[in-house]
Amino acid sequence: QVQVVESGGGLVQAGGSLRLSCTASGLPFDVYSMGWFRQVPGKEREGVSCISWSSGSTYYADSVKGRFTISRDNAKNTLYLQMNSLKPEDTAMYYCAAECIWYDCSSGPCRVEGAYWGQGTQVTVSS
């Protein structure tokens, strides 16, 4: 049984930083791409960042480029998202997903999809 668990969310002031963590079990972590998504009530889930199994390829949504950094430690089955220079518009529930893929980037924003999902961790950025 696949289990994905996020942690590290919280309340932070604008300009601050948070680091999210995600552990996954029940699957061969080191062969799966992983990623982070976020969602606010009333809006569609947004792909924030993905990383390939080897860390050789990464994807970032335009809204977080230069501020967020995704990384992984395959020995610990753990995915990270370092979030710096946080803005109020980053407020959302953040979800970790295994099998994060991004595609169809040539015609506009990439389409981003995930498979195995965690329950989410809330990030709130105050102004």
Side-chain angles (χ1 to χ4, degrees), residues 6 11 16 24-25 56 66 69-70 77 79 81-85 88 91 95 98 102 104 107 113 116-117 120:
E6 305 94 336
L11 174 63
S25 59
T69 302
I70 193 169
N77 283 14
L79 175 73
L81 185 68
Q82 178 66 43
M83 305 186 295
N84 298 329
S85 302
T91 295
Y95 297 91
W102 63 101
D104 197 20
S107 56
E113 296 181 356
Y116 304 100
W117 298 93

Side-chain angles (χ1 to χ4, degrees), residues 1-5 23-32 77 98 116:
Q1 182 178 353
V2 177
Q3 188 171 17
V4 177
V5 180
T23 58
S25 59
L27 51 74
F29 183 86
D30 58 355
V31 302
Y32 273 78
N77 283 14
Y116 304 100

Side-chain angles (χ1 to χ4, degrees), residues 42-59:
K43 292 190 176 182
E44 289 188 0
R45 191 173 293 186
E46 173 192 17
V48 174
S49 183
C50 299
I51 187 168
S52 64
W53 66 272
S54 66
S55 303
S57 296
T58 56
Y59 161 81

